[in-house]
Amino acid sequence: MLTLSEYHERVRSQGQQLQQLQAELDKLHKEVSSVRAANSERVAKLVFQRLNEDFVRKPDYALSSVGASIDLEKTSHDYEDATTAYFWNRFSFWNYARPPTVILEPDVFPGNCWAFEGDHGQVVIRLPGRVQLSDITLQHPPPSVAHTGKANSAPRDFAVYGLQVDDKTEVFLGKFTFDVEKSEIQTFHLQNDPPMAFPKVKIQILSNWGHPHFTCLYRVRAHGTRTSDGAGDSATGGPH
């Protein structure tokens, strides 16, 4: 039998052990919370990095900020009829049609596109200089983020031409298909061999994914190697 004093001593000793164990548990909890917080921050940074990262990883010469522009005389007219306002007003944050220059901007969100009538049309992009074109990238939001749940206004079949300095001679660079079931950003390798440099590039849309009234272009990128600053030099293959 334990004496009363021995019993109290054992209770006091066990109490100290419990306090020490609780302190260790508190310390472990803080360490786990710290690790979780660090991992959460790392994961969050990784997510935002992936969201903002440009997976194309190629210089874009069809970007207005580097000097690209639209040749309006060679570009299809904007889509306009009685239903245009209705179409654009379906996007609460956008209530008017966008000009073709919007395809030269990096801001891609539903409704921020250039629409032309029907499923056939073209846009001619004046590059910031002569560029040996190697690839073209098209971007269109996927059906999952569209307000209609569809992407039938997206371009389907299209052809690419390089325009020489006489502004008349066109060099065929390939025919391709933009597949709305695949990535929203798709890059197509051009048939430019031996490589020639062009001051302009034409994107000719041959069909869309079923919209009966118009086709929408969100963003077009032109990749390659810039060979000069002036658009008036001879369009030959190779730098000078």
Side-chain angles (χ1 to χ4, degrees):
M1 293 289 295
L2 293 175
T3 63
L4 184 60
S5 60
E6 290 175 337
Y7 174 76
H8 283 301
E9 178 64 24
R10 178 169 294 185
V11 169
R12 186 185 66 82
S13 175
Q14 290 177 346
Q16 289 178 343
Q17 291 177 2
L18 287 174
Q19 289 178 354
Q20 184 178 2
L21 179 60
Q22 184 63 50
E24 292 178 353
L25 287 174
D26 290 343
K27 181 180 179 182
L28 180 61
H29 177 72
K30 290 180 180 180
E31 291 177 352
V32 171
S33 298
S34 177
V35 170
R36 285 178 176 174
N39 285 339
S40 297
E41 183 178 0
R42 182 177 63 84
V43 170
K45 287 182 178 179
L46 183 61
V47 168
F48 283 112
Q49 178 183 345
R50 289 293 181 266
L51 288 175
N52 293 314
E53 187 177 22
D54 188 340
F55 292 101
V56 177
R57 296 186 181 277
K58 296 176 182 291
D60 178 15
Y61 294 103
L63 195 62
S64 61
S65 61
V66 300
S69 60
I70 300 294
D71 186 338
L72 295 175
E73 293 184 357
K74 295 182 178 294
T75 295
S76 298
H77 296 297
D78 301 349
Y79 174 67
E80 293 180 0
D81 73 359
T83 61
T84 302
Y86 168 75
F87 168 72
W88 291 108
N89 284 329
R90 295 184 70 178
F91 304 98
S92 60
F93 47 81
W94 214 263
N95 58 9
Y96 59 95
R98 303 291 285 144
T101 52
V102 73
I103 71 171
L104 308 180
E105 302 292 341
D107 299 324
V108 176
F109 52 85
N112 192 35
C113 65
W114 169 59
F116 60 84
E117 185 172 2
D119 59 0
H120 284 68
Q122 67 180 42
V123 60
V124 173
I125 301 172
R126 186 181 296 108
L127 303 172
R130 290 173 49 249
V131 177
Q132 289 181 351
L133 296 169
S134 61
D135 304 90
I136 285 289
T137 295
L138 297 189
Q139 182 173 356
H140 194 285
S144 59
V145 302
H147 289 68
T148 61
K150 302 177 181 179
N152 58 355
S153 66
R156 185 169 184 166
D157 298 314
F158 67 98
V160 181
Y161 298 85
L163 272 65
Q164 295 189 340
V165 292
D166 61 7
D167 221 22
K168 296 180 180 179
T169 305
E170 299 181 353
V171 178
F172 178 71
L173 299 177
K175 180 181 177 182
F176 311 95
T177 298
F178 183 88
D179 189 346
V180 293
E181 298 298 327
K182 295 182 179 179
S183 170
E184 66 177 285
I185 302 176
Q186 299 176 33
T187 299
F188 306 89
H189 186 64
L190 300 176
Q191 304 165 15
N192 189 16
D193 188 23
M196 298 181 66
F198 303 97
K200 296 180 182 180
V201 60
K202 181 175 85 171
I203 312 297
Q204 184 176 40
I205 307 302
L206 305 174
S207 64
N208 65 21
W209 282 91
H211 200 288
H213 301 302
F214 54 80
T215 302
C216 286
L217 278 181
Y218 275 84
R219 188 178 179 190
V220 175
R221 312 185 206 187
H223 312 295
T225 302
R226 186 170 176 172
T227 62
S228 75
D229 293 328
D233 297 329
S234 175
T236 57
H240 294 272

